[in-house]
Structures are given as structure tokens and as C-alpha cells.
Amino acid sequence: MHLLGSHNVTFPGRSVFCEDDHGTKVLSCIAANLPGIMIGSAPDASFLLIKSEDTRGEHPLEEDLWTAAVEYADSVGIDVISSSLGYFRFDSIADYYTRTDLDGQTAFVSRVADIAAKKGMLVVSSAGNEGNNEWQKITFPADAPDILTVGSVTSDKEKSSFSSVGMTADYRIKPDVVALGSHVCVIGSAGQVQYRNGTSFSAPTVAGLAACLWQAFPLLKNTELIKLIKESSNQHQQPDAQQGYGIPDMFNAYNKANSDALRNL
């Protein structure tokens, strides 16, 4: 792993590894390079670690912190953002979002995600882990139109019970795709291998694979890359609110992009 640096938006001047090791586990899904133990989906990529979450509570301020993190990523030329967080309820009931807000235009954090996408970055967001509770739906910013939202499936390719579902309030397909998020191998802060559940871990896996695909075809726009990934997934002809376009087949996507490139010569 090539670490470009780190930036703590929440606690300026402090290590991004303070508080808990959720981010470390997420990073391992992309960056781990331990032959015979665990290999991430893009171990040779270059990484900038940015912390925006404050685990002491849940407040709308965290949307501003996430925005600051995205702005910083943009300022240093980051191509792919992998984000494993989501908002819908806060400590104050007055700040709660509703399902009708899931239109990609209401939540501040979703509008920011879409702006980042329009600037050319590939934003990959976890769908959320609300499938078993009253909310059930994807969380914000997973409803943003031009980002890649990733849900979770089991090793049997069934939707994980906890994985948040669509559709959006304006009837768009979300999540876009799914990947393994149940009983996922991750590495904790002490270097120990663990198994965890969550779309937090399916999203970075897809983000790493998408980065590899983009490296192979750097002339693709981020929206073209997302379209290619969706069209190469196993249920692209019949997408639904549970698994979106399905499980991506990156080799299929590579072959399709390669064929398109050859036709354009």
C-alpha cells in the first residue's frame, strides 16, 4: 500500500486512527496485501486517509465534516472516494430525515456527493445497514444520482438481511450493485484477522475493483465507468430494489470496455 497521507477533519492535528478501528477494517478490504492471508481489491493503489466521522454522537454537523473531507480530497486530486458511512437519524428528533427526502437533492451530504461526481470523481458509498429495522431504506448520501451505491450479499449471493434497500423517493434504482458484506474477512488495528458484517465492507471492495478497471481504461468518465459496471452485473437486465443491478463481474466489464475500445480504433 502506498500511503499518500492522512487528514483528520473531525479532530484536526490528531491521528486518523483515533477513536475506533472501523476505518482500518474498511481500508483492509481494499489495501490488504498479506499473501496467503488476505489480499484487498486494489493493494497497489495509492491512498489518502481522511476521517470525518465523530462517534461521540450523531449530529447534522457530520454532514459538514464529510463535505470538508470531500473538498480536501478534491483539492489534492483524488480520483476515487470510498465512503462507508450513512446518515438518516440524529440525536435530535427534529433533525431526522424522512423517506421522502431520499431524492438525491434534499440531504446536504447527498448534494455534496453529487457535486463531487459532477467534478469527475468516482464516489462509492455504502448503502447502509438498516434492512432489519424500521427505516429499511438506503441512507444518505447513498441516494445521490451519479455515485455508485453498494449493498451487501451473503456468500450464497442472497441479499444480506441487514443491507438497506431502495428505491429512491424519485424511483431510481438503488443500491446500484452489491458485493459480499456478510462474514467479510477484515484486518483490525492490531493486525488480527476478523470477520464482520456490513455494507461498510462491500463498498470498499467494489471501490478497489472499480479503481483497477479505471486504471485499465483511464479515458472513461466516472459516469461511463459506473454504467459499465452496472451493465456487467449479474441482473442488469432486471434490476431491483434489493440488489440493484446485482453482483459486478469486473472481468466481463474489462472485456466489454476492451471490445468497445477496439471498435473505436
Side-chain angles (χ1 to χ4, degrees), residues 35 57 75 87 102 113 124 136 161 168 171 181 192 206 219 240-241 256:
S75 73
Y87 304 106
L102 283 167
V124 182
Q136 294 187 329
S161 61
T168 63
Y171 303 105
Q192 72 279 27
V206 171
L219 296 182
D240 58 35
K256 187 176 187 305

Side-chain angles (χ1 to χ4, degrees), residues 55-69:
T55 59
R56 298 173 301 178
E58 202 77 302
H59 305 283
L61 172 64
E62 290 183 82
E63 295 190 69
D64 297 303
L65 297 176
W66 193 85
T67 299

Side-chain angles (χ1 to χ4, degrees), residues 29-66:
C29 295
I30 313 177
N33 192 4
L34 300 172
I37 299 176
M38 180 178 173
I39 302 292
S41 56
D44 292 329
S46 297
F47 296 90
L48 174 66
L49 310 182
I50 308 177
K51 177 178 176 62
S52 69
E53 181 72 2
D54 186 347
T55 59
R56 298 173 301 178
E58 202 77 302
H59 305 283
L61 172 64
E62 290 183 82
E63 295 190 69
D64 297 303
L65 297 176
W66 193 85

Side-chain angles (χ1 to χ4, degrees), residues 114-137:
D114 201 49
I115 290 172
K118 285 180 168 55
K119 290 176 72 67
M121 287 185 279
L122 175 64
V123 181
V124 182
S125 173
S126 56
N129 302 325
E130 313 305 325
N132 285 327
N133 65 31
E134 182 182 0
W135 177 262
Q136 294 187 329
K137 296 285 190 174

Side-chain angles (χ1 to χ4, degrees), residues 72-87:
Y72 183 80
D74 180 41
S75 73
V76 296
I78 293 301
D79 297 309
V80 181
I81 293 176
S82 182
S83 176
S84 289
L85 52 73
Y87 304 106

